[in-house]
Amino acid sequence: MKREEILVLISGLLGIFVGLGLARFAYTVILEPMRAGLELGYTEMGSIASLNFFGYVIFSPVVGILATRYGSKRVVLGSMAIIVASLYLTSLSRGFVDAGLYRFLTGAGSAGVNVGLVGLMAKWFDERSRGFALGVINSGSSWGIIFAGATIPYVVLSYGWNAGWVFLSAISLFVLLMLLPLKEVPSDFVPEVKVKSGDVYRHRPLIVLGISYVFFGASYIIFVTFYTSHIIKNGIDYEVAGHLWAIVGILSILSAITWGRISDRIGRKQAISAVYLLMGSAFLVFALASSLGLFLISTLMAGLSMLAIPPLVQAYCGDIAGKNSASAAIGFVTLFFGIGQMFGPGVAGFLADLTGDFVLPLALAGTLGIAGGIVVRKT
């Protein structure tokens, strides 16, 4: 791999580290002290998190078009600036309305960084190495989760929840400055348009890929939402559940890179289908598990599959649409992911209330995962 390509990979990893790892997932660590400081309820704090997610979903197709027209680097740097400002503004929140607005803006910035960087990787890496490259940069979100969990509690306990957001803003500004030398395309770049950016919304393979992404969004969020509750309901300690969840985070770093490389070798469609089937099977085993051994096995299976799907789908978008239209394709497909995430928890929660446990909703998650693997083969 060339030196310039390595630098681009590092830049992409750092960008996702901020754009998703810190900007989205660090909220979990600050939520409780922020809730107490603003005197808000859990419904309001949950709504603030939803506003961040809506900002991400709504702006994903918009920034995809902008990146195609004006360049991925401009979108990434502009979106990073939005994240820096909105994280700082969040520290000044005085209630639900302004906190929700700032988190919405952060979600919009996250969309720009993620979609822009994925589009940039499509320009720098061809189909023989694109899966590996996207696996590497997507591991940045896992590193962000680890970093936030290791540092934010100390900052918050020492200086208050407001300081936690200021700290995140400062880290984001530092990364923004590091991304300034980022190059839009390699010196030997050859334009490639397989699907025009304005046609991605009616291109059948992308629509089918998007439908499979609905299944992933729903199944993934159901599993994440009820993971700890299901384990505890089966008589296992909360602390043990936390350790098992940490395994998912650690394995996800390796799985995204490993499956990315495998997809470069065997083909994107085959790899995505295999990961969907492994993930769906993991969720089904988890749904039926009642012993620590089975919970561990299903957790290992989930860690080796679940978070490898987004980079594989992103790489496939680049394969289908071509280097120049990759950002628009990714933004479009992300809408489908959002639909799955929106209806999944509600349906699963209804089933949990109806049955009194989490077996049925988790079995639904597993079934949807397997269905996604079947659908993606139709692309």
Side-chain angles (χ1 to χ4, degrees), residues 16-144:
I16 299 298
F17 168 81
V18 168
L20 294 182
L22 301 187
R24 179 189 290 182
F25 296 119
Y27 179 72
T28 302
V29 187
I30 305 179
L31 187 152
E32 190 58 37
M34 184 178 177
R35 183 194 68 81
L38 295 178
E39 299 180 346
L40 298 176
Y42 287 107
T43 299
E44 292 167 306
M45 296 304 290
S47 297
I48 290 172
S50 295
L51 285 168
N52 176 260
F53 173 70
F54 286 138
Y56 181 85
V57 172
I58 290 171
F59 279 92
S60 286
V62 176
V63 295
I65 294 172
L66 292 176
T68 301
R69 291 183 179 178
Y70 303 109
S72 297
K73 178 180 177 178
R74 290 181 180 179
V75 168
V76 170
L77 295 181
S79 300
M80 284 288 293
I82 291 173
I83 289 176
V84 171
S86 60
L87 290 178
Y88 177 76
L89 289 171
T90 304
S91 73
L92 305 178
S93 299
R94 293 294 177 265
F96 170 74
V97 174
D98 50 351
L101 172 62
Y102 301 145
R103 291 300 292 157
F104 177 83
L105 291 174
T106 304
S110 295
V113 170
N114 186 50
V115 173
L117 282 172
V118 171
L120 196 97
M121 294 303 120
K123 297 174 183 176
W124 274 86
F125 299 92
D126 59 23
E127 294 182 23
R128 295 169 297 177
S129 56
R130 188 173 293 151
F132 171 75
L134 287 169
V136 170
I137 72 165
N138 272 274
S139 70
S141 61
S142 298
W143 287 114

Side-chain angles (χ1 to χ4, degrees), residues 91-252:
S91 73
L92 305 178
S93 299
R94 293 294 177 265
F96 170 74
V97 174
D98 50 351
L101 172 62
Y102 301 145
R103 291 300 292 157
F104 177 83
L105 291 174
T106 304
S110 295
V113 170
N114 186 50
V115 173
L117 282 172
V118 171
L120 196 97
M121 294 303 120
K123 297 174 183 176
W124 274 86
F125 299 92
D126 59 23
E127 294 182 23
R128 295 169 297 177
S129 56
R130 188 173 293 151
F132 171 75
L134 287 169
V136 170
I137 72 165
N138 272 274
S139 70
S141 61
S142 298
W143 287 114
I145 293 171
I146 294 170
F147 177 83
T151 60
I152 293 298
Y154 295 103
V155 175
V156 171
L157 290 173
S158 299
Y159 304 103
W161 68 267
N162 311 75
W165 292 113
V166 175
F167 174 70
L168 291 173
S169 178
I171 296 295
S172 301
L173 176 59
F174 177 72
V175 172
L176 169 59
L177 296 176
M178 292 183 67
L179 294 183
L180 290 177
L182 187 63
K183 294 179 64 176
E184 179 76 22
V185 295
S187 56
D188 57 352
F189 177 72
V190 177
E192 177 191 50
V193 179
K194 295 181 179 179
V195 180
K196 293 181 180 179
S197 60
D199 293 336
V200 297
Y201 311 103
R202 50 179 175 266
H203 191 62
R204 184 185 176 279
L206 286 173
I207 293 172
V208 175
L209 181 61
I211 292 171
S212 77
Y213 218 20
V214 173
F215 293 136
F216 170 69
S219 62
Y220 152 79
I221 199 63
I222 291 171
F223 177 74
V224 169
T225 301
F226 297 112
Y227 179 87
T228 301
S229 300
H230 183 55
I231 291 177
I232 293 174
K233 196 170 185 66
N234 279 274
I236 295 174
D237 292 342
Y238 174 73
E239 185 178 3
V240 174
H243 292 327
L244 288 173
W245 183 245
I247 292 174
V248 175
I250 294 170
L251 288 179
S252 68

